Amino acid sequence: MLVDSGTTYTHLPEPFYSQVLSVLQSLISYPRATEMEMRTGFDLCYKLPCQNNSILTGDLLPSITFHFLNNVSLVLSRGNHFYAMSAPTNSTVVKCLLFQSMDDGDYGPAGVLGSFQQQDVEVVYDLEKERIGFRPMDCVSAASFQGLNKT
């Protein structure tokens, strides 16, 4: 899989992409927002309940973990796979899965891990040993600690 901070969201090859959609659909019981799917081109959009019009609905959705060779896993933060497509209204928010299908001709058969899914993840490259690692990180706090948030 290509780890690409220049690609916005994750692209998965078929039939893997369709299998991911099928599993997620079986786990999510909220109503689909098909009008948002048609408007955005994303395949899984749901109308989720929210309290006090707060869009903190991550715990209502299943988690997603990518498993790589050599026992390396990347657990996506719950906010890194579904995205609120608009402000909450009537105690409901529409969130869409920010993954898309790709043709083999686009990048090859491996897939692309996009920058949206890499938020709050430290990606470590060991070029000498030809391996990669992932670690959850609060990037806002890390930037603040290093003085990067000053204007």
Side-chain angles (χ1 to χ4, degrees), residues 8-10 57-59 61-64 66 74-84 95-99 113-122 135-137 139:
T8 306
Y9 38 81
T10 295
T57 57
D59 57 341
L61 299 165
S63 65
I64 294 176
F66 285 101
L74 171 60
V75 179
L76 295 184
S77 167
R78 290 197 185 264
N80 287 9
H81 51 343
F82 281 86
Y83 182 74
K95 284 193 167 190
C96 297
L97 177 68
L98 290 190
F99 287 16
L113 180 66
S115 63
F116 190 82
Q117 284 71 40
Q118 294 178 51
Q119 293 179 93
D120 286 330
V121 174
E122 182 177 27
R135 178 172 56 184
M137 174 177 266
C139 294

PDB file of all heavy atoms in Angstrom, residues 8-10 57-59 61-64 66 74-84 95-99 113-122 135-137 139:
ATOM      1  N   THR A   8      -5.727  12.851  -0.747  1.00  0.00           N
ATOM      2  CA  THR A   8      -6.591  13.269   0.358  1.00  0.00           C
ATOM      3  C   THR A   8      -7.169  12.109   1.153  1.00  0.00           C
ATOM      4  O   THR A   8      -7.082  12.079   2.367  1.00  0.00           O
ATOM      5  CB  THR A   8      -7.739  14.158  -0.163  1.00  0.00           C
ATOM      6  OG1 THR A   8      -7.175  15.235  -0.905  1.00  0.00           O
ATOM      7  CG2 THR A   8      -8.565  14.704   0.981  1.00  0.00           C
ATOM      8  N   TYR A   9      -7.779  11.144   0.488  1.00  0.00           N
ATOM      9  CA  TYR A   9      -8.392  10.041   1.223  1.00  0.00           C
ATOM     10  C   TYR A   9      -7.973   8.722   0.601  1.00  0.00           C
ATOM     11  O   TYR A   9      -7.403   8.662  -0.474  1.00  0.00           O
ATOM     12  CB  TYR A   9      -9.913  10.165   1.316  1.00  0.00           C
ATOM     13  CG  TYR A   9     -10.558  10.705   0.070  1.00  0.00           C
ATOM     14  CD1 TYR A   9     -10.820   9.880  -1.019  1.00  0.00           C
ATOM     15  CD2 TYR A   9     -10.880  12.050  -0.030  1.00  0.00           C
ATOM     16  CE1 TYR A   9     -11.389  10.396  -2.173  1.00  0.00           C
ATOM     17  CE2 TYR A   9     -11.442  12.556  -1.188  1.00  0.00           C
ATOM     18  CZ  TYR A   9     -11.690  11.730  -2.251  1.00  0.00           C
ATOM     19  OH  TYR A   9     -12.242  12.234  -3.384  1.00  0.00           O
ATOM     20  N   THR A  10      -8.271   7.657   1.306  1.00  0.00           N
ATOM     21  CA  THR A  10      -7.797   6.327   0.950  1.00  0.00           C
ATOM     22  C   THR A  10      -8.538   5.759  -0.255  1.00  0.00           C
ATOM     23  O   THR A  10      -9.755   5.885  -0.358  1.00  0.00           O
ATOM     24  CB  THR A  10      -7.943   5.393   2.175  1.00  0.00           C
ATOM     25  OG1 THR A  10      -7.064   5.890   3.197  1.00  0.00           O
ATOM     26  CG2 THR A  10      -7.603   3.967   1.855  1.00  0.00           C
ATOM     27  N   THR A  57     -19.775  12.039  16.911  1.00  0.00           N
ATOM     28  CA  THR A  57     -20.533  10.798  16.766  1.00  0.00           C
ATOM     29  C   THR A  57     -19.627   9.623  16.438  1.00  0.00           C
ATOM     30  O   THR A  57     -20.095   8.594  15.995  1.00  0.00           O
ATOM     31  CB  THR A  57     -21.581  10.944  15.647  1.00  0.00           C
ATOM     32  OG1 THR A  57     -20.893  11.308  14.447  1.00  0.00           O
ATOM     33  CG2 THR A  57     -22.624  11.973  15.985  1.00  0.00           C
ATOM     34  N   GLY A  58     -18.333   9.765  16.641  1.00  0.00           N
ATOM     35  CA  GLY A  58     -17.381   8.727  16.257  1.00  0.00           C
ATOM     36  C   GLY A  58     -17.649   7.377  16.888  1.00  0.00           C
ATOM     37  O   GLY A  58     -17.432   6.344  16.277  1.00  0.00           O
ATOM     38  N   ASP A  59     -18.146   7.372  18.135  1.00  0.00           N
ATOM     39  CA  ASP A  59     -18.373   6.098  18.810  1.00  0.00           C
ATOM     40  C   ASP A  59     -19.588   5.355  18.256  1.00  0.00           C
ATOM     41  O   ASP A  59     -19.825   4.208  18.593  1.00  0.00           O
ATOM     42  CB  ASP A  59     -18.509   6.313  20.316  1.00  0.00           C
ATOM     43  CG  ASP A  59     -19.623   7.274  20.679  1.00  0.00           C
ATOM     44  OD1 ASP A  59     -20.059   8.052  19.817  1.00  0.00           O
ATOM     45  OD2 ASP A  59     -20.056   7.241  21.847  1.00  0.00           O
ATOM     46  N   LEU A  61     -19.898   4.603  15.109  1.00  0.00           N
ATOM     47  CA  LEU A  61     -19.448   3.938  13.898  1.00  0.00           C
ATOM     48  C   LEU A  61     -18.368   2.913  14.225  1.00  0.00           C
ATOM     49  O   LEU A  61     -17.602   3.092  15.170  1.00  0.00           O
ATOM     50  CB  LEU A  61     -18.902   4.974  12.908  1.00  0.00           C
ATOM     51  CG  LEU A  61     -19.932   6.011  12.463  1.00  0.00           C
ATOM     52  CD1 LEU A  61     -19.249   7.188  11.789  1.00  0.00           C
ATOM     53  CD2 LEU A  61     -20.938   5.372  11.531  1.00  0.00           C
ATOM     54  N   PRO A  62     -18.285   1.844  13.441  1.00  0.00           N
ATOM     55  CA  PRO A  62     -17.260   0.824  13.720  1.00  0.00           C
ATOM     56  C   PRO A  62     -15.856   1.354  13.445  1.00  0.00           C
ATOM     57  O   PRO A  62     -15.671   2.259  12.630  1.00  0.00           O
ATOM     58  CB  PRO A  62     -17.615  -0.307  12.753  1.00  0.00           C
ATOM     59  CG  PRO A  62     -18.431   0.311  11.692  1.00  0.00           C
ATOM     60  CD  PRO A  62     -19.120   1.503  12.298  1.00  0.00           C
ATOM     61  N   SER A  63     -14.894   0.788  14.134  1.00  0.00           N
ATOM     62  CA  SER A  63     -13.508   1.174  13.876  1.00  0.00           C
ATOM     63  C   SER A  63     -12.988   0.396  12.668  1.00  0.00           C
ATOM     64  O   SER A  63     -13.555  -0.624  12.267  1.00  0.00           O
ATOM     65  CB  SER A  63     -12.640   0.896  15.104  1.00  0.00           C
ATOM     66  OG  SER A  63     -12.582  -0.488  15.350  1.00  0.00           O
ATOM     67  N   ILE A  64     -11.908   0.913  12.092  1.00  0.00           N
ATOM     68  CA  ILE A  64     -11.274   0.267  10.948  1.00  0.00           C
ATOM     69  C   ILE A  64      -9.790   0.127  11.260  1.00  0.00           C
ATOM     70  O   ILE A  64      -9.148   1.085  11.707  1.00  0.00           O
ATOM     71  CB  ILE A  64     -11.462   1.089   9.654  1.00  0.00           C
ATOM     72  CG1 ILE A  64     -12.946   1.127   9.273  1.00  0.00           C
ATOM     73  CG2 ILE A  64     -10.619   0.521   8.518  1.00  0.00           C
ATOM     74  CD1 ILE A  64     -13.256   1.991   8.062  1.00  0.00           C
ATOM     75  N   PHE A  66      -6.128  -1.317   9.548  1.00  0.00           N
ATOM     76  CA  PHE A  66      -5.362  -1.868   8.430  1.00  0.00           C
ATOM     77  C   PHE A  66      -4.281  -2.769   9.008  1.00  0.00           C
ATOM     78  O   PHE A  66      -3.580  -2.373   9.945  1.00  0.00           O
ATOM     79  CB  PHE A  66      -4.696  -0.755   7.618  1.00  0.00           C
ATOM     80  CG  PHE A  66      -5.642   0.009   6.752  1.00  0.00           C
ATOM     81  CD1 PHE A  66      -6.118   1.241   7.140  1.00  0.00           C
ATOM     82  CD2 PHE A  66      -6.058  -0.510   5.537  1.00  0.00           C
ATOM     83  CE1 PHE A  66      -6.997   1.956   6.335  1.00  0.00           C
ATOM     84  CE2 PHE A  66      -6.938   0.187   4.727  1.00  0.00           C
ATOM     85  CZ  PHE A  66      -7.411   1.421   5.128  1.00  0.00           C
ATOM     86  N   LEU A  74      -2.493  -0.478  11.747  1.00  0.00           N
ATOM     87  CA  LEU A  74      -2.853   0.928  11.893  1.00  0.00           C
ATOM     88  C   LEU A  74      -4.333   0.990  12.197  1.00  0.00           C
ATOM     89  O   LEU A  74      -5.168   0.669  11.350  1.00  0.00           O
ATOM     90  CB  LEU A  74      -2.544   1.717  10.615  1.00  0.00           C
ATOM     91  CG  LEU A  74      -3.065   3.151  10.571  1.00  0.00           C
ATOM     92  CD1 LEU A  74      -2.475   3.992  11.696  1.00  0.00           C
ATOM     93  CD2 LEU A  74      -2.793   3.779   9.221  1.00  0.00           C
ATOM     94  N   VAL A  75      -4.662   1.357  13.431  1.00  0.00           N
ATOM     95  CA  VAL A  75      -6.051   1.534  13.831  1.00  0.00           C
ATOM     96  C   VAL A  75      -6.412   2.981  13.523  1.00  0.00           C
ATOM     97  O   VAL A  75      -5.795   3.904  14.057  1.00  0.00           O
ATOM     98  CB  VAL A  75      -6.251   1.253  15.337  1.00  0.00           C
ATOM     99  CG1 VAL A  75      -7.705   1.471  15.733  1.00  0.00           C
ATOM    100  CG2 VAL A  75      -5.790  -0.154  15.682  1.00  0.00           C
ATOM    101  N   LEU A  76      -7.380   3.161  12.634  1.00  0.00           N
ATOM    102  CA  LEU A  76      -7.784   4.521  12.289  1.00  0.00           C
ATOM    103  C   LEU A  76      -8.548   5.136  13.445  1.00  0.00           C
ATOM    104  O   LEU A  76      -9.431   4.505  14.034  1.00  0.00           O
ATOM    105  CB  LEU A  76      -8.673   4.525  11.043  1.00  0.00           C
ATOM    106  CG  LEU A  76      -8.034   4.075   9.745  1.00  0.00           C
ATOM    107  CD1 LEU A  76      -9.032   4.227   8.597  1.00  0.00           C
ATOM    108  CD2 LEU A  76      -6.770   4.855   9.441  1.00  0.00           C
ATOM    109  N   SER A  77      -8.204   6.371  13.757  1.00  0.00           N
ATOM    110  CA  SER A  77      -8.966   7.127  14.732  1.00  0.00           C
ATOM    111  C   SER A  77     -10.409   7.198  14.237  1.00  0.00           C
ATOM    112  O   SER A  77     -10.657   7.292  13.034  1.00  0.00           O
ATOM    113  CB  SER A  77      -8.362   8.523  14.851  1.00  0.00           C
ATOM    114  OG  SER A  77      -9.222   9.376  15.540  1.00  0.00           O
ATOM    115  N   ARG A  78     -11.364   7.149  15.117  1.00  0.00           N
ATOM    116  CA  ARG A  78     -12.773   7.119  14.701  1.00  0.00           C
ATOM    117  C   ARG A  78     -13.168   8.338  13.870  1.00  0.00           C
ATOM    118  O   ARG A  78     -14.106   8.284  13.116  1.00  0.00           O
ATOM    119  CB  ARG A  78     -13.679   6.959  15.911  1.00  0.00           C
ATOM    120  CG  ARG A  78     -13.555   5.577  16.519  1.00  0.00           C
ATOM    121  CD  ARG A  78     -14.723   5.287  17.419  1.00  0.00           C
ATOM    122  NE  ARG A  78     -14.552   4.027  18.098  1.00  0.00           N
ATOM    123  CZ  ARG A  78     -15.081   2.889  17.673  1.00  0.00           C
ATOM    124  NH1 ARG A  78     -15.790   2.863  16.585  1.00  0.00           N
ATOM    125  NH2 ARG A  78     -14.892   1.789  18.349  1.00  0.00           N
ATOM    126  N   GLY A  79     -12.455   9.415  13.974  1.00  0.00           N
ATOM    127  CA  GLY A  79     -12.751  10.581  13.155  1.00  0.00           C
ATOM    128  C   GLY A  79     -12.042  10.569  11.812  1.00  0.00           C
ATOM    129  O   GLY A  79     -12.209  11.484  11.016  1.00  0.00           O
ATOM    130  N   ASN A  80     -11.252   9.532  11.551  1.00  0.00           N
ATOM    131  CA  ASN A  80     -10.435   9.496  10.340  1.00  0.00           C
ATOM    132  C   ASN A  80     -10.994   8.629   9.221  1.00  0.00           C
ATOM    133  O   ASN A  80     -10.303   8.393   8.243  1.00  0.00           O
ATOM    134  CB  ASN A  80      -9.021   9.004  10.662  1.00  0.00           C
ATOM    135  CG  ASN A  80      -8.207  10.036  11.390  1.00  0.00           C
ATOM    136  OD1 ASN A  80      -8.726  11.068  11.808  1.00  0.00           O
ATOM    137  ND2 ASN A  80      -6.943   9.780  11.561  1.00  0.00           N
ATOM    138  N   HIS A  81     -12.200   8.140   9.373  1.00  0.00           N
ATOM    139  CA  HIS A  81     -12.760   7.360   8.267  1.00  0.00           C
ATOM    140  C   HIS A  81     -14.108   7.889   7.806  1.00  0.00           C
ATOM    141  O   HIS A  81     -14.399   7.877   6.625  1.00  0.00           O
ATOM    142  CB  HIS A  81     -12.779   5.873   8.544  1.00  0.00           C
ATOM    143  CG  HIS A  81     -13.400   5.432   9.840  1.00  0.00           C
ATOM    144  ND1 HIS A  81     -13.644   6.252  10.898  1.00  0.00           N
ATOM    145  CD2 HIS A  81     -13.822   4.212  10.232  1.00  0.00           C
ATOM    146  CE1 HIS A  81     -14.190   5.559  11.887  1.00  0.00           C
ATOM    147  NE2 HIS A  81     -14.304   4.320  11.508  1.00  0.00           N
ATOM    148  N   PHE A  82     -14.926   8.394   8.689  1.00  0.00           N
ATOM    149  CA  PHE A  82     -16.186   9.037   8.310  1.00  0.00           C
ATOM    150  C   PHE A  82     -16.059  10.530   8.611  1.00  0.00           C
ATOM    151  O   PHE A  82     -15.493  10.924   9.625  1.00  0.00           O
ATOM    152  CB  PHE A  82     -17.362   8.454   9.087  1.00  0.00           C
ATOM    153  CG  PHE A  82     -17.841   7.135   8.557  1.00  0.00           C
ATOM    154  CD1 PHE A  82     -17.246   5.955   8.967  1.00  0.00           C
ATOM    155  CD2 PHE A  82     -18.887   7.070   7.651  1.00  0.00           C
ATOM    156  CE1 PHE A  82     -17.684   4.729   8.481  1.00  0.00           C
ATOM    157  CE2 PHE A  82     -19.333   5.857   7.156  1.00  0.00           C
ATOM    158  CZ  PHE A  82     -18.728   4.686   7.567  1.00  0.00           C
ATOM    159  N   TYR A  83     -16.607  11.353   7.729  1.00  0.00           N
ATOM    160  CA  TYR A  83     -16.473  12.805   7.856  1.00  0.00           C
ATOM    161  C   TYR A  83     -17.847  13.458   7.788  1.00  0.00           C
ATOM    162  O   TYR A  83     -18.669  13.094   6.943  1.00  0.00           O
ATOM    163  CB  TYR A  83     -15.590  13.327   6.719  1.00  0.00           C
ATOM    164  CG  TYR A  83     -15.350  14.812   6.769  1.00  0.00           C
ATOM    165  CD1 TYR A  83     -14.484  15.353   7.709  1.00  0.00           C
ATOM    166  CD2 TYR A  83     -15.994  15.658   5.871  1.00  0.00           C
ATOM    167  CE1 TYR A  83     -14.255  16.721   7.757  1.00  0.00           C
ATOM    168  CE2 TYR A  83     -15.767  17.027   5.915  1.00  0.00           C
ATOM    169  CZ  TYR A  83     -14.895  17.551   6.860  1.00  0.00           C
ATOM    170  OH  TYR A  83     -14.679  18.896   6.912  1.00  0.00           O
ATOM    171  N   ALA A  84     -18.074  14.432   8.659  1.00  0.00           N
ATOM    172  CA  ALA A  84     -19.336  15.183   8.645  1.00  0.00           C
ATOM    173  C   ALA A  84     -19.366  16.072   7.410  1.00  0.00           C
ATOM    174  O   ALA A  84     -18.508  16.926   7.229  1.00  0.00           O
ATOM    175  CB  ALA A  84     -19.466  16.019   9.903  1.00  0.00           C
ATOM    176  N   LYS A  95     -22.635  11.792   7.869  1.00  0.00           N
ATOM    177  CA  LYS A  95     -21.214  11.462   7.746  1.00  0.00           C
ATOM    178  C   LYS A  95     -21.032  10.459   6.623  1.00  0.00           C
ATOM    179  O   LYS A  95     -21.829   9.542   6.469  1.00  0.00           O
ATOM    180  CB  LYS A  95     -20.662  10.890   9.050  1.00  0.00           C
ATOM    181  CG  LYS A  95     -20.412  11.932  10.113  1.00  0.00           C
ATOM    182  CD  LYS A  95     -19.577  11.358  11.239  1.00  0.00           C
ATOM    183  CE  LYS A  95     -19.052  12.444  12.136  1.00  0.00           C
ATOM    184  NZ  LYS A  95     -18.061  11.922  13.081  1.00  0.00           N
ATOM    185  N   CYS A  96     -19.948  10.645   5.862  1.00  0.00           N
ATOM    186  CA  CYS A  96     -19.636   9.758   4.740  1.00  0.00           C
ATOM    187  C   CYS A  96     -18.276   9.104   4.940  1.00  0.00           C
ATOM    188  O   CYS A  96     -17.350   9.731   5.472  1.00  0.00           O
ATOM    189  CB  CYS A  96     -19.617  10.532   3.425  1.00  0.00           C
ATOM    190  SG  CYS A  96     -21.206  11.259   2.981  1.00  0.00           S
ATOM    191  N   LEU A  97     -18.163   7.874   4.478  1.00  0.00           N
ATOM    192  CA  LEU A  97     -16.895   7.158   4.486  1.00  0.00           C
ATOM    193  C   LEU A  97     -15.975   7.797   3.455  1.00  0.00           C
ATOM    194  O   LEU A  97     -16.316   7.881   2.277  1.00  0.00           O
ATOM    195  CB  LEU A  97     -17.103   5.680   4.148  1.00  0.00           C
ATOM    196  CG  LEU A  97     -15.837   4.835   4.059  1.00  0.00           C
ATOM    197  CD1 LEU A  97     -15.186   4.674   5.429  1.00  0.00           C
ATOM    198  CD2 LEU A  97     -16.145   3.472   3.460  1.00  0.00           C
ATOM    199  N   LEU A  98     -14.807   8.243   3.892  1.00  0.00           N
ATOM    200  CA  LEU A  98     -13.874   8.888   2.978  1.00  0.00           C
ATOM    201  C   LEU A  98     -12.865   7.893   2.419  1.00  0.00           C
ATOM    202  O   LEU A  98     -11.655   8.059   2.536  1.00  0.00           O
ATOM    203  CB  LEU A  98     -13.152  10.048   3.671  1.00  0.00           C
ATOM    204  CG  LEU A  98     -14.004  11.258   3.985  1.00  0.00           C
ATOM    205  CD1 LEU A  98     -13.141  12.423   4.447  1.00  0.00           C
ATOM    206  CD2 LEU A  98     -14.848  11.686   2.803  1.00  0.00           C
ATOM    207  N   PHE A  99     -13.392   6.853   1.812  1.00  0.00           N
ATOM    208  CA  PHE A  99     -12.613   5.883   1.040  1.00  0.00           C
ATOM    209  C   PHE A  99     -13.253   5.855  -0.336  1.00  0.00           C
ATOM    210  O   PHE A  99     -14.451   6.091  -0.470  1.00  0.00           O
ATOM    211  CB  PHE A  99     -12.741   4.470   1.602  1.00  0.00           C
ATOM    212  CG  PHE A  99     -12.022   4.194   2.894  1.00  0.00           C
ATOM    213  CD1 PHE A  99     -11.544   5.198   3.719  1.00  0.00           C
ATOM    214  CD2 PHE A  99     -11.840   2.893   3.295  1.00  0.00           C
ATOM    215  CE1 PHE A  99     -10.900   4.904   4.910  1.00  0.00           C
ATOM    216  CE2 PHE A  99     -11.202   2.585   4.481  1.00  0.00           C
ATOM    217  CZ  PHE A  99     -10.727   3.593   5.285  1.00  0.00           C
ATOM    218  N   LEU A 113      -3.076   4.865   1.010  1.00  0.00           N
ATOM    219  CA  LEU A 113      -3.510   5.365   2.310  1.00  0.00           C
ATOM    220  C   LEU A 113      -3.376   6.881   2.269  1.00  0.00           C
ATOM    221  O   LEU A 113      -2.272   7.418   2.225  1.00  0.00           O
ATOM    222  CB  LEU A 113      -2.651   4.780   3.436  1.00  0.00           C
ATOM    223  CG  LEU A 113      -3.018   5.229   4.844  1.00  0.00           C
ATOM    224  CD1 LEU A 113      -4.399   4.707   5.234  1.00  0.00           C
ATOM    225  CD2 LEU A 113      -1.970   4.760   5.832  1.00  0.00           C
ATOM    226  N   GLY A 114      -4.508   7.582   2.243  1.00  0.00           N
ATOM    227  CA  GLY A 114      -4.515   9.025   2.071  1.00  0.00           C
ATOM    228  C   GLY A 114      -4.273   9.808   3.347  1.00  0.00           C
ATOM    229  O   GLY A 114      -4.282   9.273   4.454  1.00  0.00           O
ATOM    230  N   SER A 115      -4.077  11.104   3.182  1.00  0.00           N
ATOM    231  CA  SER A 115      -3.721  11.977   4.295  1.00  0.00           C
ATOM    232  C   SER A 115      -4.834  12.118   5.324  1.00  0.00           C
ATOM    233  O   SER A 115      -4.561  12.294   6.511  1.00  0.00           O
ATOM    234  CB  SER A 115      -3.313  13.356   3.777  1.00  0.00           C
ATOM    235  OG  SER A 115      -4.395  13.991   3.128  1.00  0.00           O
ATOM    236  N   PHE A 116      -6.101  12.048   4.892  1.00  0.00           N
ATOM    237  CA  PHE A 116      -7.191  12.173   5.861  1.00  0.00           C
ATOM    238  C   PHE A 116      -7.116  11.050   6.894  1.00  0.00           C
ATOM    239  O   PHE A 116      -7.340  11.270   8.079  1.00  0.00           O
ATOM    240  CB  PHE A 116      -8.556  12.164   5.158  1.00  0.00           C
ATOM    241  CG  PHE A 116      -9.688  12.527   6.074  1.00  0.00           C
ATOM    242  CD1 PHE A 116      -9.965  13.858   6.351  1.00  0.00           C
ATOM    243  CD2 PHE A 116     -10.456  11.547   6.669  1.00  0.00           C
ATOM    244  CE1 PHE A 116     -11.001  14.199   7.212  1.00  0.00           C
ATOM    245  CE2 PHE A 116     -11.495  11.885   7.531  1.00  0.00           C
ATOM    246  CZ  PHE A 116     -11.765  13.211   7.803  1.00  0.00           C
ATOM    247  N   GLN A 117      -6.788   9.854   6.447  1.00  0.00           N
ATOM    248  CA  GLN A 117      -6.677   8.719   7.351  1.00  0.00           C
ATOM    249  C   GLN A 117      -5.368   8.733   8.137  1.00  0.00           C
ATOM    250  O   GLN A 117      -5.218   7.979   9.088  1.00  0.00           O
ATOM    251  CB  GLN A 117      -6.831   7.397   6.584  1.00  0.00           C
ATOM    252  CG  GLN A 117      -8.268   7.090   6.197  1.00  0.00           C
ATOM    253  CD  GLN A 117      -8.818   7.978   5.101  1.00  0.00           C
ATOM    254  OE1 GLN A 117      -8.144   8.314   4.144  1.00  0.00           O
ATOM    255  NE2 GLN A 117     -10.073   8.380   5.240  1.00  0.00           N
ATOM    256  N   GLN A 118      -4.429   9.586   7.767  1.00  0.00           N
ATOM    257  CA  GLN A 118      -3.156   9.680   8.480  1.00  0.00           C
ATOM    258  C   GLN A 118      -3.163  10.757   9.559  1.00  0.00           C
ATOM    259  O   GLN A 118      -2.166  10.941  10.262  1.00  0.00           O
ATOM    260  CB  GLN A 118      -2.021   9.990   7.493  1.00  0.00           C
ATOM    261  CG  GLN A 118      -1.747   8.887   6.509  1.00  0.00           C
ATOM    262  CD  GLN A 118      -0.657   9.286   5.529  1.00  0.00           C
ATOM    263  OE1 GLN A 118       0.415   9.732   5.919  1.00  0.00           O
ATOM    264  NE2 GLN A 118      -0.951   9.139   4.245  1.00  0.00           N
ATOM    265  N   GLN A 119      -4.291  11.454   9.741  1.00  0.00           N
ATOM    266  CA  GLN A 119      -4.356  12.494  10.763  1.00  0.00           C
ATOM    267  C   GLN A 119      -4.097  11.901  12.136  1.00  0.00           C
ATOM    268  O   GLN A 119      -4.603  10.831  12.468  1.00  0.00           O
ATOM    269  CB  GLN A 119      -5.733  13.166  10.754  1.00  0.00           C
ATOM    270  CG  GLN A 119      -6.006  13.963   9.506  1.00  0.00           C
ATOM    271  CD  GLN A 119      -7.384  14.559   9.556  1.00  0.00           C
ATOM    272  OE1 GLN A 119      -7.545  15.680   9.996  1.00  0.00           O
ATOM    273  NE2 GLN A 119      -8.370  13.800   9.111  1.00  0.00           N
ATOM    274  N   ASP A 120      -3.329  12.592  12.932  1.00  0.00           N
ATOM    275  CA  ASP A 120      -2.965  12.172  14.288  1.00  0.00           C
ATOM    276  C   ASP A 120      -2.290  10.804  14.300  1.00  0.00           C
ATOM    277  O   ASP A 120      -2.464  10.011  15.226  1.00  0.00           O
ATOM    278  CB  ASP A 120      -4.171  12.210  15.233  1.00  0.00           C
ATOM    279  CG  ASP A 120      -4.542  13.642  15.601  1.00  0.00           C
ATOM    280  OD1 ASP A 120      -3.642  14.502  15.648  1.00  0.00           O
ATOM    281  OD2 ASP A 120      -5.737  13.899  15.822  1.00  0.00           O
ATOM    282  N   VAL A 121      -1.508  10.539  13.263  1.00  0.00           N
ATOM    283  CA  VAL A 121      -0.706   9.327  13.172  1.00  0.00           C
ATOM    284  C   VAL A 121       0.711   9.744  12.816  1.00  0.00           C
ATOM    285  O   VAL A 121       0.926  10.496  11.865  1.00  0.00           O
ATOM    286  CB  VAL A 121      -1.242   8.360  12.087  1.00  0.00           C
ATOM    287  CG1 VAL A 121      -0.305   7.175  11.897  1.00  0.00           C
ATOM    288  CG2 VAL A 121      -2.643   7.879  12.434  1.00  0.00           C
ATOM    289  N   GLU A 122       1.667   9.284  13.591  1.00  0.00           N
ATOM    290  CA  GLU A 122       3.058   9.478  13.216  1.00  0.00           C
ATOM    291  C   GLU A 122       3.461   8.299  12.344  1.00  0.00           C
ATOM    292  O   GLU A 122       3.304   7.140  12.741  1.00  0.00           O
ATOM    293  CB  GLU A 122       3.952   9.546  14.452  1.00  0.00           C
ATOM    294  CG  GLU A 122       5.402   9.795  14.105  1.00  0.00           C
ATOM    295  CD  GLU A 122       6.293   9.927  15.329  1.00  0.00           C
ATOM    296  OE1 GLU A 122       5.963   9.356  16.384  1.00  0.00           O
ATOM    297  OE2 GLU A 122       7.325  10.594  15.213  1.00  0.00           O
ATOM    298  N   ARG A 135       2.220   5.212  14.680  1.00  0.00           N
ATOM    299  CA  ARG A 135       1.985   5.426  16.099  1.00  0.00           C
ATOM    300  C   ARG A 135       0.959   6.534  16.255  1.00  0.00           C
ATOM    301  O   ARG A 135       1.096   7.595  15.632  1.00  0.00           O
ATOM    302  CB  ARG A 135       3.297   5.804  16.788  1.00  0.00           C
ATOM    303  CG  ARG A 135       3.138   6.081  18.262  1.00  0.00           C
ATOM    304  CD  ARG A 135       4.440   6.269  18.961  1.00  0.00           C
ATOM    305  NE  ARG A 135       5.222   7.340  18.342  1.00  0.00           N
ATOM    306  CZ  ARG A 135       6.446   7.666  18.720  1.00  0.00           C
ATOM    307  NH1 ARG A 135       7.033   6.993  19.674  1.00  0.00           N
ATOM    308  NH2 ARG A 135       7.083   8.653  18.129  1.00  0.00           N
ATOM    309  N   PRO A 136      -0.069   6.312  17.081  1.00  0.00           N
ATOM    310  CA  PRO A 136      -1.037   7.393  17.330  1.00  0.00           C
ATOM    311  C   PRO A 136      -0.314   8.584  17.953  1.00  0.00           C
ATOM    312  O   PRO A 136       0.598   8.410  18.761  1.00  0.00           O
ATOM    313  CB  PRO A 136      -2.026   6.787  18.327  1.00  0.00           C
ATOM    314  CG  PRO A 136      -1.801   5.323  18.282  1.00  0.00           C
ATOM    315  CD  PRO A 136      -0.391   5.105  17.831  1.00  0.00           C
ATOM    316  N   MET A 137      -0.713   9.778  17.546  1.00  0.00           N
ATOM    317  CA  MET A 137      -0.066  10.978  18.073  1.00  0.00           C
ATOM    318  C   MET A 137      -1.061  12.127  18.087  1.00  0.00           C
ATOM    319  O   MET A 137      -1.817  12.298  17.142  1.00  0.00           O
ATOM    320  CB  MET A 137       1.134  11.352  17.208  1.00  0.00           C
ATOM    321  CG  MET A 137       1.790  12.663  17.602  1.00  0.00           C
ATOM    322  SD  MET A 137       3.228  13.019  16.610  1.00  0.00           S
ATOM    323  CE  MET A 137       4.468  12.338  17.673  1.00  0.00           C
ATOM    324  N   CYS A 139      -1.197  15.371  17.254  1.00  0.00           N
ATOM    325  CA  CYS A 139      -0.346  16.271  16.478  1.00  0.00           C
ATOM    326  C   CYS A 139      -0.497  17.728  16.891  1.00  0.00           C
ATOM    327  O   CYS A 139       0.459  18.497  16.828  1.00  0.00           O
ATOM    328  CB  CYS A 139      -0.632  16.096  14.985  1.00  0.00           C
ATOM    329  SG  CYS A 139      -0.151  14.463  14.383  1.00  0.00           S
TER     330      CYS A 139
END
